[in-house]
Amino acid sequence: MTSTAHKALHGQDAAKEPPPWRQRLRRFGYVPRPVTGLRERLVPPYARPSDRVWTVLGAPPAVAGRLWRLAAWGGPLLVALVAGLLRFWNLGQPHAVIFDETYYAKDAWALINQGYEGSWPKDVDARILANPDAVAVPTDPGYVVHPPVGKWVIGLGEWMFGFDPFGWRFMVAVLGTLSVLMLCRIGRRLFRSTFLGCLAGALLAVDGLHFVMSRTALLDQVLMFFVLAAFGCLLIDRDHSRRRLAAALPVDADGVLRPDAAVAETLRLGWRPWRIAAGLMLGLAAATKWNGLYVLAAFGVLTVLWDVGARRTAGAFRPYESVLKRDLVPAFVSTVPVAVVTYIASWSGWIFTDKGYFRNWATTEGKDSSWSWLFPDWWRSLWHYESEVYSFHINLTSGHTYQSNPWSWIVLGRPVSYFYEDPRAGQDGCPANATEKCAREVLAIGTPLLWWAACFALLYVLWRWFFRRDWRAGAIACAVAAGWVPWFFYQERTIFLFYAVVFVPFLCLAVAMMIGAMLGPPGTDETAERRRTIGAVGAGVLVLLIVWNFIYFWPLYTGESIPMDDWRDRMWLDTWV
């Protein structure tokens, strides 16, 4: 018997039955989406604290409403203030050129002063730390393998505060602090909860890898900032476009919003400046490090699928066809060309000089190119430079002490030591009564309990996306995959754990989402209240343990001198040494 005949025999009850695949998924935890109003599905309202919270605080209704509105910005700003105080505290220490600062700090200084990177002497770091004013910027071009935006950002701090550790770390610390603020607001918009948004930002504030990268002049933290900003722009664009759809749909005599296939399939969503802003941010990400291109591709697909979901919710019978006709070309034009133009513009310092590395290739070695009649010399020189850099990256297989496989990143299998000294008793903060040397290290490692909780949170997010069809979980999973999965295609390449900082904010969103599930929805009966109380206790214990873990590892994040036994106690895994 066909399904049509089945419905005809059993009437309306059969028509209301879920499809067989949904019935089969119930055993794995699938729950049909609850029936809500169309307006709430298109533009969900923000959650408000229960009246019990205001009663406990002794706030009258008028004051409670004002506090709730202020918390939308007040909470994120407070979390960001704490994060900033942590990141800027003693920022110039250790007073050393740590890890790859030896490349980016000097390249940034050269860019600020002459528009292109120079070829620095190998022994110049000590002279820069002793007296940077006595060190001249080399005019000979240097061969660099990353685009310039991240170095321009680092150089801005050097231009303001000088060519020293504080100067070249300043702007990275600024972006690290602002990223905490952004994540609070992004989490609030994503979860429609100020509490969960601020929780996600607070988790980022106490993540060790994000903290260390905020205090080190490397490119990956700058890349992370632009990726997170692009995600936030697309999230705002999603809300605005769905609000336009809701405004265009008809309302019945009872004031209830109704779906309409004609509106949902034909409405043009018009000018979308936040999507253009996302294209700009993604262009800046790619102009910092090339792996930003993978994020551009992933986020492009994500925003188009969001449009499909919006038109389907509004009543479109053929949402994919509608998006293909109405949204696909505008989505492409507002992201990809904007990102490409931004990337090329980032090379302006190199383009408008005649001394950059390979700058004159088109008029020397490449003068006989068959493309010389079509493209200008600077374009062909830049293309040649980029092809040489690409060859370098894919063939970078030389071993390194701290390299790691991307499979091990999520469990912190092999962190990176940026700086290590073993001062004697009475020197560099080592206690005078110490019986052996102390340890002074800056270790690029995430807060272990946060990352290990994120392992479970990612499984929860995937389950929630697949079985509950939760778009928020899908967005988080997409962002994590965009920053992590591409490295699995280059496992033979020399890669490091700190590359994972790009998706750390989205791990924090995943943990916040898991904690929200632990808390559960508010209830009125005694059973629901008991369940929520137990969930709140469990969630609170987890958050407090993460904060304690960050405090415990603080000396390894800041390069403080600690007794060798205390350092050994913090080496929880043999691979951390």
Side-chain angles (χ1 to χ4, degrees):
M1 183 180 293
T2 65
S3 59
T4 304
H6 177 80
K7 289 182 180 179
L9 290 174
H10 294 277
Q12 295 297 319
D13 290 338
K16 294 181 180 178
E17 289 183 3
W21 69 269
R22 293 183 179 177
Q23 293 178 339
R24 290 195 295 270
L25 285 179
R26 285 180 185 274
R27 71 185 71 176
F28 301 106
Y30 171 79
V31 176
R33 195 176 280 178
V35 178
T36 57
L38 179 58
R39 189 179 303 277
E40 287 71 24
R41 289 176 61 194
L42 284 172
V43 188
Y46 286 87
R48 297 180 65 98
S50 66
D51 294 336
R52 180 176 299 181
V53 174
W54 304 120
T55 303
V56 172
L57 295 176
V63 175
R66 192 175 300 112
L67 289 175
W68 181 73
R69 290 190 295 272
L70 290 174
W73 273 103
L77 287 171
L78 181 60
V79 174
L81 176 62
V82 174
L85 292 174
L86 293 174
R87 279 150 180 76
F88 280 96
W89 178 85
N90 213 14
L91 181 61
Q93 294 298 322
H95 187 75
V97 180
I98 64 176
F99 204 65
D100 281 354
E101 285 185 342
T102 187
Y103 305 116
Y104 306 129
K106 292 180 292 191
D107 287 342
W109 186 244
L111 279 174
I112 288 293
N113 282 276
Q114 60 190 20
Y116 64 93
E117 296 90 342
S119 180
W120 294 84
K122 292 184 178 180
D123 58 347
V124 75
D125 289 352
R127 290 193 286 133
I128 292 173
L129 294 171
N131 185 10
D133 294 333
V135 179
V137 179
T139 56
D140 291 337
Y143 177 63
V144 295
V145 295
H146 291 296
V149 163
K151 288 165 282 187
W152 280 112
V153 170
I154 294 169
L156 180 59
E158 295 174 332
W159 175 71
M160 291 188 291
F161 297 101
F163 191 29
D164 58 26
F166 181 86
W168 62 61
R169 296 169 190 164
F170 176 80
M171 282 304 300
V172 184
V174 169
L175 297 189
T177 303
L178 290 178
S179 65
V180 172
L181 175 62
M182 283 197 305
L183 190 65
C184 290
R185 294 287 299 176
I186 287 170
R188 179 180 183 271
R189 185 176 292 272
L190 187 70
F191 301 128
R192 287 308 199 253
S193 168
T194 300
F195 169 74
L196 289 181
C198 290
L199 175 61
L203 292 174
L204 186 64
V206 296
D207 174 63
L209 183 60
H210 185 274
F211 178 79
V212 170
M213 297 297 287
S214 297
R215 294 167 54 88
T216 312
L218 269 65
L219 302 181
D220 299 85
Q221 185 79 342
V222 182
L223 171 63
M224 177 278 307
F225 176 84
F226 290 130
V227 168
L228 183 61
F231 184 84
C233 290
L234 291 177
L235 198 60
I236 297 173
D237 172 76
R238 180 184 187 274
D239 278 358
H240 286 191
S241 61
R242 293 171 77 91
R243 193 173 292 117
R244 286 176 187 160
L245 268 174
L249 291 174
V251 179
D252 64 14
D254 297 324
V256 178
L257 196 70
R258 294 298 181 186
D260 186 285
V263 172
E265 292 181 356
T266 63
L267 180 69
R268 294 189 180 275
L269 298 175
W271 175 250
R272 300 175 70 168
W274 284 106
R275 186 177 267 177
I276 296 175
L280 175 63
M281 293 298 106
L282 291 168
L284 292 172
T288 301
K289 291 188 78 171
W290 277 2
N291 44 317
L293 294 173
Y294 293 103
V295 182
L296 171 62
F299 283 8
V301 174
L302 181 66
T303 188
V304 169
L305 290 178
W306 281 349
D307 285 346
V308 171
R311 291 189 182 273
R312 179 190 289 118
T313 302
F317 293 127
R318 295 176 294 275
Y320 285 96
E321 180 180 334
S322 177
V323 167
L324 182 63
K325 292 179 179 179
R326 309 289 181 186
D327 301 319
L328 188 62
V329 172
F332 177 85
V333 171
S334 59
T335 52
V336 177
V338 171
V340 171
V341 171
T342 301
Y343 181 86
I344 295 174
S346 72
W347 284 90
S348 57
W350 181 89
I351 293 171
F352 293 112
T353 183
D354 60 354
K355 295 182 179 179
Y357 203 87
F358 280 138
R359 177 61 185 84
N360 298 311
W361 176 86
T363 57
T364 55
E365 294 94 328
K367 62 183 179 180
D368 297 326
S369 171
S370 57
W371 297 99
S372 58
W373 63 275
L374 183 59
F375 297 104
D377 291 344
W378 67 266
W379 179 279
R380 293 191 297 116
S381 294
L382 181 59
W383 183 269
H384 176 73
Y385 195 170
E386 300 284 49
S387 64
E388 290 293 315
V389 170
Y390 177 74
S391 178
F392 168 85
H393 281 303
I394 63 174
N395 293 305
L396 182 61
T397 57
S398 57
H400 192 285
T401 304
Y402 293 106
Q403 70 182 66
S404 58
N405 191 286
W407 288 105
S408 69
W409 290 355
I410 193 65
V411 293
L412 303 176
R414 182 60 170 164
V416 183
S417 181
Y418 283 174
F419 170 84
Y420 184 85
E421 287 183 349
D422 51 353
R424 298 180 181 276
Q427 297 178 354
D428 294 330
C430 186
N433 59 351
T435 57
E436 60 178 335
K437 290 182 179 180
C438 292
R440 188 178 179 218
E441 183 174 27
V442 176
L443 187 66
I445 183 174
T447 302
L449 293 185
L450 173 59
W451 282 63
W452 295 340
C455 295
F456 296 96
L458 286 179
L459 293 176
Y460 169 73
V461 161
L462 292 174
W463 172 82
R464 178 105 192 165
W465 170 61
F466 190 77
F467 292 109
R468 298 293 180 92
R469 314 309 299 168
D470 193 326
W471 71 272
R472 303 167 302 173
I476 295 171
C478 174
V480 172
W484 187 14
V485 171
W487 293 111
F488 288 95
F489 299 109
Y490 301 97
Q491 295 186 57
E492 73 283 353
R493 186 185 183 276
T494 306
I495 51 181
F496 302 92
L497 169 66
F498 65 81
Y499 295 172
V501 74
V502 175
F503 59 85
V504 165
F506 305 102
L507 293 182
C508 294
L509 286 174
V511 174
M513 190 174 188
M514 182 180 69
I515 289 176
M518 291 172 63
L519 290 172
T524 56
D525 60 347
E526 183 178 349
T527 302
E529 286 296 321
R530 185 183 302 112
R531 182 252 179 269
R532 190 167 176 83
T533 300
I534 295 173
V537 171
V541 169
L542 175 60
V543 173
L544 289 176
L545 286 174
I546 291 172
V547 174
W548 164 82
N549 201 205
F550 173 76
I551 296 172
Y552 180 70
F553 279 86
W554 173 272
L556 298 186
Y557 299 143
T558 57
E560 291 186 3
S561 292
I562 56 175
M564 190 61 70
D565 286 341
D566 291 349
W567 177 84
R568 294 190 187 100
D569 290 341
R570 288 164 173 80
M571 295 296 106
W572 287 359
L573 300 178
D574 293 340
T575 55
W576 292 4
V577 179

